[in-house]
Amino acid sequence: MNKERMFKKIETYYKENRINLLKKTVGMAGGKHNAEDVVQDAFCNALTYWDSYDEDSPFANWFGRILQNCLKKSNRDVRNLGMALDVREEDLVTWSPDPFMLAVIDEIRADVEKLPEDKREVINLSFFNGYSPKDISEVVEMNISSIWKVISLFRREVREKYA
């Protein structure tokens, strides 16, 4: 799906479901104002990570995961009392393909397609779309440490196979 069609789909979903999403979220977010922030953040994330949507799955499920992740993040921020946590260097992921990786990219894609759905989505977002584990955690229902583990195990398998 191209960007323009996806943005239109998100806009339509917003217009049709915003009120219901607010009602559904208000109790879990700790109030009306927090719920508005959570729902708004979820739509911002949907626009940011639009290319992670799989057309074979229902849109409401994809957006629901994003909404749940925004709710978790909001509640975590409330628990932290607004404190900003330090960014550690190991939380930052930078990746640029070397010539060897470009030569075997089709084989690696075939390997990824053999993975279970949850791992395949994480690897696709990380390896092929360049998302960081933090960004991936905004899209899928996994914590950052689990995402790191999936990515590092996949990288180890690739290194062993294509050494």
Side-chain angles (χ1 to χ4, degrees), residues 76-141:
R76 188 173 49 247
D77 290 346
V78 168
R79 280 192 311 273
N80 290 334
L81 301 172
M83 293 187 303
L85 303 176
D86 291 336
V87 175
R88 299 177 311 197
E89 188 174 332
E90 59 266 16
D91 289 340
L92 303 174
V93 175
T94 57
W95 182 81
S96 58
D98 63 23
F100 174 75
M101 294 301 281
L102 292 174
V104 296
I105 201 77
D106 288 334
E107 277 188 60
I108 293 172
R109 281 189 194 275
D111 291 342
V112 170
E113 290 302 314
K114 296 174 188 171
L115 295 172
E117 176 64 31
D118 57 338
K119 292 180 181 177
R120 181 177 39 217
E121 187 172 17
V122 168
I123 296 302
N124 277 326
L125 291 172
S126 172
F127 198 74
F128 298 115
N129 294 356
Y131 287 9
S132 71
K134 184 176 186 266
D135 289 339
I136 294 170
S137 73
E138 299 286 335
V139 178
V140 300
E141 291 181 13

Side-chain angles (χ1 to χ4, degrees), residues 37-51:
D37 289 343
V38 167
V39 170
Q40 197 64 31
D41 285 345
F43 279 102
C44 287
N45 284 347
L47 292 170
T48 302
Y49 305 115
W50 68 271
D51 57 343

